[in-house]
Amino acid sequence: MQPIKIINLKAAVSKIRYIGEGRICVVDEDNTVRIYDLKEFKLVGGFRIKLPKNNVFSNETSISKNGNFVAIAVRGKHKATVWDVNKKQLLYTLGWHKGDILSVDFDSEEKYLLSGGEDGRAYMWSMKTGKMVSSLPPHADYVTSVAFSKNSLWAATGSYDKSVCITNISSMGVSYKKRVHKGAVTCLKFLSKQKLISGDKSGEMALWNYAKGTVENRFIGMTDMIVSVVFDVNEEYMFVVAKGNKKIALYSLKNSELITDSFIKVLETPSELEYIAEFNYLVIGTVDGNIYVYDLYSDEKRLISFISSNDLSAAYELVIRNPFLKSTKTYELMEKKWEEILSKSQQLLERGEINAAKQILSPYLKVALKRNFIQSLINDFNEFEKFKNAVINKRYPLAYSIAAKYPFLKNTVYYKKMENIWKQAFNKAKTLIMKKGSDEEVKELLKPFRGVTQKTPFIQSLFNQKQLFHLLSQKLAKRDFTEFFMLVNRYPFLSESEEYQKAVLYGENLLKKAYELLKKGEYKKVLHIAEMLKSFPNYKEEVKELEKQAETLIEFHRLLAEKDFSKIEKFVYEHPFLEDNEDYKKLQKEWSEALERAEKFASKGDISSIFETVKPYINVKVKAAKIGQILRSAYLNQILSLLAKVLKGEKKETIQAYLQKAVDNYIKLFGYDSEIEDLVQKANKLGMKVKIFHTNESNVLNWVSYKLPPKIWNDLKEV
C-alpha cells in the first residue's frame, strides 16, 4: 500500500489527533502545534510552544478530542502545561507531582486531564479551573500511561511496576489493580462495550473487560515496546506500532488474532498512529518528521488490476492482507463473479461438459481459498452420470446413496427434483394413511423410496405410528413447542421433516422480534417471548441473555422511578451494559454537571457551596468517595491560600496556628496522604514549623463522620 500524501514536519512526530471537520492536530518533539486540512492537505493553523523537547516514545503529550487543548509535560519541572489551541496561549501549569510527569490524557468531553508521574501518582485536573479535583490510586513505580474511557466514566493508569489500575472516576467507588504484564505498561486505549487494550515495554498486549477488571484475552505480541494503538470505526481491527519496527501490524479484535505483522511497511520508524473514520485514513507519524497518510481502500486499484489480468490468486491474497477491501464494490463484484462461475460450472458439469467446467474454474485453482472446494466439486461430479441415471430411472436408494457420499450432487437440479417428488409423495401419504384400509395404496405411493436410508424412519413411523405426523402438525399449529420438540427428541428423524423446518423458522422470527422489542423498551413482551423460546433447544443461551437483560432493565427502571441513586449505581456496577443505556446517560449527565459546579467551588475553597451543589447526592453512599475528593481538593486549596499569604509577606506567627490546626483537621478527615505531606514540606521550606501528631491511613471516606467546617482551620466536630 502506498501513501496518498506525505507531509514533512522536519521534527519527530509525537502526537496526531483527528479533531473533526476534516482536520488533524499534530504535535512534534519541538512542541510545535500544527493543524492540517485533510481535504486539501493544507496547513491551516498552529503555533510554536517554547518548552524543552518532549519524548516521542512516551505519553508526555495529549490533544483533546475537538482540538481545543494541548497538554505537554515539562521534563525537569515536575509539571504539565495546558495550552489553548484557538488562542495560542498557555492556559494552565499543573503541579502536585513530586517527580516528572510522564503521561497525560484528555477525556472525550474536554472537561478533564489525567496526569501520571515518576512519583507513582495520578491526578485528575479540571479544565474549567486548572485545579486538581481527584487523585487516583497510586502505583509503586512510575505511572507511564493514563487514559479515559470513551464515556468518561472510567480511567486507567499503567505503570513501570507492570500493573494496570482501572477506576470508576464517576464515583471513585470501584477500582481494580492487577499486574498482568511482563514489562512496564506503555500504552492504554479504551474501546466501546467496556473493553480496554493495554500494551507494555516487552511488546505484550492484553484485552480487558474494564468494568469487571478482568483480562479476557491476550494477543500475539510485538517484538518491542508498544508505542501506539488505534482501531477502525467498527472496532473490528486494531493497528499497532512497536518501537523500532518499520511495519504496522493488523490484528482482528473479534478473535484476538494477528492478521499480518506487515500491513503497511514504512521506510522510517513510526512513532504515532491515528485512524480517521470519516476518510478511512490511517495516518502514521515518524521519528524522521514525516506524516504518511494511507487510504485503506487505495488497494482497490491494485485489486482491480489483479482481476483485470485474471491474477485471482494475487487478488484474494491482497484481500486477506487488507480485509478492508471486503467493504468495496470491487470485492462484491469479484465474489459475485465467483458465484456466477460456480453456478455456470455446475450447470456444465450437470451436462457432462467436465472439461468446459474445469476451464472456467481453472483461474480459481491458484486461489488457496477456492482450490479444495473446486477439487471436491469436480471429484463429486465424476459420479454425476451414475447419479443422474439413478434419479431418471427412479432408482432412488442408489441416487440418495451416491449423493450422501458426494455432497456437491445435492446442489443439482436432479437432486432437488428427487427431493420434491419425495415431499409430494410423503405429504400425500400422511393424508391417505388416516383413511381406513389405505395401507396398500400408501405402500405403493412410497414404494420408490423403500430402501432409502434417510427416508426409512419416516416410512416406518407412518405405518407403525399413524398419528405421529398428524400429532406433530397439531402441536405446530397450536404453538405447543414443548410437546413438539419432545416428539422430535423422541424421534430424531423428525428433524428432517417439513414441520420441523417451519418450527425452526418460527423460532428465528420470534428471537428477532424479541431483540427488536428489547430495543424499544417493551421488556415484559420480551419476557413473554423468552418463555416461549425456552421450548426451543437451540436457543438456551439466547433465552438466558434475553431474560437477564429484560429483567435487569425492568429493575433498573424501577430504581430510576424511585430515584434510589445508591441502588442504581450498585446495580450498574453489577450490570455494566447499563452504562450505555440512555436513561443512565441522562442521570450521569446531571451528576457530571453537579460535579463540574462543585469543582469550581472547590477551586475557591467554598465548602458551603459544594454542599449546596451536591445536596441531592449527599446521602448516596456510592457518591461519598467522589464528594470526598472534591471536599479534599477544596480544603487543600484553603491550605494553599494560607501558604500564599506567607509568600505575600504576612506574619508567619499569625498564620502558624491556623496552618497547624488545618493540617491536624485535614489528617482527621482524609488521613495522611501524599498531598498533605507535600504541603507540610512546602510550609517547612517557608519557615513554618508544622508538626504531625498523627498519621491516619489515607481514607477519603472519613469526612462522613464529621460535621465539616467552612474553613479547614475551624473546629472539627464528629457527627
Side-chain angles (χ1 to χ4, degrees):
M1 189 183 300
Q2 297 299 315
I4 60 169
K5 185 68 178 179
I6 302 175
I7 303 170
N8 181 253
L9 306 186
K10 297 181 181 178
V13 179
S14 298
K15 187 66 64 177
I16 302 171
R17 182 75 184 254
Y18 180 64
I19 58 174
E21 298 179 355
R23 299 169 303 146
I24 56 170
C25 183
V26 183
V27 179
D28 66 23
E29 68 173 347
D30 292 330
N31 302 306
T32 300
V33 180
R34 296 179 178 88
I35 298 173
Y36 290 95
D37 184 337
L38 291 181
K39 294 172 185 175
E40 299 180 9
F41 296 103
K42 285 172 56 178
L43 181 67
V44 293
F47 61 106
R48 173 76 184 275
I49 298 171
K50 292 182 180 179
L51 288 173
K53 286 187 176 185
N54 62 71
N55 183 351
V56 297
F57 289 117
S58 74
N59 298 297
E60 294 174 12
T61 62
S62 182
I63 302 166
S64 66
K65 183 178 180 180
N66 297 319
N68 291 316
F69 307 116
V70 165
I72 301 173
V74 186
R75 283 294 178 102
K77 299 293 183 181
H78 303 180
K79 297 182 184 299
T81 56
V82 178
W83 300 79
D84 186 314
V85 175
N86 300 311
K87 294 179 180 178
K88 302 179 182 180
Q89 64 184 30
L90 178 65
L91 191 62
Y92 304 119
T93 299
L94 311 176
W96 278 119
H97 286 278
K98 293 188 76 174
D100 277 340
I101 294 174
L102 305 177
S103 50
V104 288
D105 186 51
F106 288 101
D107 76 317
S108 62
E109 297 175 0
E110 298 188 324
K111 289 182 178 180
Y112 299 102
L113 177 77
L114 271 179
S115 65
E118 291 179 339
D119 51 6
R121 304 182 196 176
Y123 293 117
M124 194 161 81
W125 306 83
S126 167
M127 287 299 97
K128 291 287 186 183
T129 65
K131 299 290 185 179
M132 185 267 289
V133 293
S134 293
S135 61
L136 274 63
H139 285 269
D141 212 327
Y142 296 179
V143 177
T144 47
S145 185
V146 295
F148 282 100
S149 65
K150 288 191 169 187
N151 60 14
S152 299
L153 298 182
W154 297 78
T157 57
S159 171
Y160 213 83
D161 64 12
K162 304 172 186 176
S163 72
V164 173
C165 183
I166 302 167
T167 304
N168 184 297
I169 54 172
S170 173
S171 68
M172 305 300 292
V174 176
S175 187
Y176 311 103
K177 183 184 282 186
K178 289 188 178 180
R179 181 173 173 173
V180 298
H181 284 278
K182 295 176 182 176
V185 180
T186 58
C187 184
L188 292 167
K189 201 83 170 184
F190 280 89
L191 296 95
S192 304
K193 298 179 180 178
Q194 292 82 48
K195 304 300 180 188
L196 167 72
I197 296 289
S198 61
D200 68 20
K201 196 172 183 179
S202 71
E204 185 180 57
M205 289 178 290
L207 174 67
W208 297 72
N209 179 317
Y210 64 75
K212 295 180 180 178
T214 56
V215 172
E216 291 190 340
N217 224 327
R218 293 180 183 273
F219 297 86
I220 295 173
M222 302 288 282
T223 56
D224 207 334
M225 180 179 93
I226 303 299
V227 172
S228 187
V229 168
V230 292
F231 317 107
D232 73 307
V233 65
N234 297 317
E235 296 184 351
E236 294 178 2
Y237 302 101
M238 176 172 70
F239 307 93
V240 183
V241 64
K243 188 176 181 181
N245 194 339
K246 295 181 180 180
K247 300 173 184 177
I248 309 301
L250 179 66
Y251 288 81
S252 166
L253 287 169
K254 187 176 181 180
N255 50 28
S256 300
E257 289 183 356
L258 175 66
I259 295 174
T260 173
D261 62 359
S262 54
F263 178 65
I264 292 175
K265 298 176 183 178
V266 188
L267 295 176
E268 304 164 18
T269 302
S271 56
E272 175 69 348
L273 295 176
E274 177 66 327
Y275 173 80
I276 303 172
E278 187 178 333
F279 302 103
N280 292 303
Y281 287 170
L282 184 65
V283 183
I284 304 171
T286 72
V287 296
D288 292 323
N290 289 312
I291 296 173
Y292 291 81
V293 182
Y294 290 86
D295 181 347
L296 296 180
Y297 294 151
S298 63
D299 274 344
E300 188 173 8
K301 291 180 180 178
R302 291 180 65 204
L303 186 63
I304 292 169
S305 175
F306 288 141
I307 294 169
S308 299
S309 61
N310 217 26
D311 191 350
L312 298 177
S313 176
Y316 278 98
E317 283 176 13
L318 182 62
V319 173
I320 292 171
R321 290 198 306 273
N322 184 355
F324 296 95
L325 292 173
K326 290 181 180 179
S327 302
T328 64
K329 190 70 177 176
T330 303
Y331 179 78
E332 183 184 330
L333 292 172
M334 183 170 77
E335 281 296 274
K336 186 179 179 182
K337 184 180 178 182
W338 157 248
E339 294 296 333
E340 290 172 353
I341 291 290
L342 182 61
S343 177
K344 189 175 180 180
S345 66
Q346 286 183 321
Q347 291 172 14
L348 289 169
L349 288 168
E350 285 185 36
R351 295 202 298 264
E353 299 178 38
I354 297 174
N355 290 332
K358 286 181 178 180
Q359 186 175 354
I360 65 169
L361 287 169
S362 61
Y364 292 92
L365 284 170
K366 297 177 182 178
V367 180
L369 288 171
K370 311 292 186 186
R371 190 181 303 120
N372 290 340
F373 183 91
I374 292 169
Q375 288 172 344
S376 295
L377 173 67
I378 293 171
N379 181 60
D380 284 8
F381 268 87
N382 286 331
E383 299 295 319
F384 176 69
E385 284 301 318
K386 187 177 179 181
F387 167 75
K388 174 183 171 183
N389 290 330
V391 174
I392 291 171
N393 295 315
K394 297 184 180 181
R395 296 169 63 193
Y396 298 138
L398 177 60
Y400 275 105
S401 171
I402 295 170
K405 192 174 180 181
Y406 304 101
F408 278 101
L409 298 179
K410 292 181 180 180
N411 295 324
T412 64
V413 293
Y414 291 95
Y415 186 86
K416 292 172 184 175
K417 180 181 177 181
M418 180 172 64
E419 273 288 273
N420 193 44
I421 292 169
W422 156 253
K423 286 177 183 178
Q424 289 176 2
F426 192 71
N427 286 334
K428 188 175 180 180
K430 283 192 291 184
T431 304
L432 278 173
I433 201 70
M434 303 305 294
K435 295 179 181 179
K436 192 174 181 180
S438 63
D439 285 17
E440 290 305 316
E441 188 179 353
V442 171
K443 286 180 182 178
E444 189 62 28
L445 182 64
L446 298 177
K447 185 178 179 181
F449 294 94
R450 194 178 300 159
V452 177
T453 306
Q454 301 95 314
K455 310 302 181 188
T456 299
F458 286 88
I459 297 170
Q460 287 177 344
S461 295
L462 195 63
F463 287 102
N464 299 335
Q465 293 166 301
K466 295 183 179 181
Q467 294 292 331
L468 180 60
F469 290 98
H470 179 67
L471 187 60
L472 192 68
S473 295
Q474 276 188 327
K475 298 301 179 187
L476 178 62
K478 292 178 180 179
R479 304 292 185 255
D480 185 355
F481 293 107
T482 300
E483 292 291 334
F484 181 92
F485 285 107
M486 282 177 66
L487 281 172
V488 174
N489 190 50
R490 198 178 307 152
Y491 305 103
F493 66 89
L494 290 177
S495 62
E496 299 294 324
S497 69
E498 191 175 353
E499 289 81 1
Y500 183 83
Q501 300 307 317
K502 287 179 180 178
V504 168
L505 181 60
Y506 186 79
E508 289 173 357
N509 290 333
L510 270 183
L511 189 64
K512 183 179 178 182
K513 186 177 180 181
Y515 281 116
E516 289 172 356
L517 290 170
L518 194 66
K519 288 181 181 178
K520 292 178 181 178
E522 299 184 45
Y523 309 126
K524 288 186 179 179
K525 289 183 180 179
V526 172
L527 290 175
H528 176 69
I529 291 176
E531 195 61 36
M532 292 177 65
L533 285 170
K534 284 181 179 179
S535 302
F536 289 75
N538 295 333
Y539 297 135
K540 286 183 179 179
E541 293 304 316
E542 288 91 341
V543 168
K544 282 183 183 177
E545 186 60 29
L546 274 173
E547 284 189 320
K548 179 183 174 183
Q549 288 200 35
E551 289 169 354
T552 299
L553 287 161
I554 288 171
E555 178 63 12
F556 175 65
H557 282 90
R558 186 188 68 77
L559 295 173
L560 282 176
E562 294 176 359
K563 294 188 177 179
D564 191 332
F565 297 116
S566 287
K567 288 183 179 178
I568 287 169
E569 292 300 332
K570 184 181 177 183
F571 203 65
V572 173
Y573 294 151
E574 292 170 356
H575 309 282
F577 76 90
L578 290 172
E579 283 187 358
D580 300 321
N581 181 275
E582 290 303 319
D583 291 313
Y584 184 70
K585 286 180 182 178
K586 183 179 178 182
L587 206 65
Q588 277 298 316
K589 185 181 179 184
E590 292 171 0
W591 166 239
S592 177
E593 289 170 352
L595 284 179
E596 201 171 351
R597 292 193 300 273
E599 287 160 1
K600 284 183 182 179
F601 292 125
S603 69
K604 301 171 185 176
D606 189 345
I607 299 296
S608 299
S609 295
I610 291 172
F611 274 112
E612 186 62 31
T613 303
V614 299
K615 190 176 181 180
Y617 309 96
I618 205 70
N619 294 318
V620 181
K621 288 184 179 180
V622 293
K623 305 290 188 187
K626 187 66 176 182
I627 293 171
Q629 289 272 16
I630 295 171
L631 292 167
R632 187 176 72 103
S633 173
Y635 282 137
L636 286 170
N637 285 323
Q638 288 182 1
I639 297 171
L640 278 170
S641 70
L642 288 177
L643 297 179
K645 288 181 179 181
V646 177
L647 290 171
K648 288 178 181 177
E650 291 193 26
K651 289 183 179 180
K652 295 179 182 178
E653 294 79 8
T654 307
I655 297 167
Q656 178 76 46
Y658 287 121
L659 187 59
Q660 183 65 60
K661 188 73 174 288
V663 171
D664 289 344
N665 285 347
Y666 181 94
I667 294 171
K668 286 179 184 177
L669 286 173
F670 307 109
Y672 188 70
D673 56 29
S674 301
E675 289 69 48
I676 197 64
E677 182 182 17
D678 291 348
L679 293 182
V680 168
Q681 289 177 3
K682 285 181 181 180
N684 290 336
K685 286 180 181 179
L686 291 171
M688 310 285 287
K689 295 181 180 179
V690 180
K691 296 180 180 179
I692 305 299
F693 295 105
H694 46 86
T695 55
N696 298 347
E697 187 178 344
S698 178
N699 187 349
V700 79
L701 290 172
N702 283 346
W703 70 272
V704 298
S705 302
Y706 293 88
K707 183 178 179 180
L708 300 191
K711 298 295 182 183
I712 190 65
W713 48 82
N714 295 154
D715 288 338
L716 189 62
K717 297 178 181 179
E718 291 188 28
V719 176

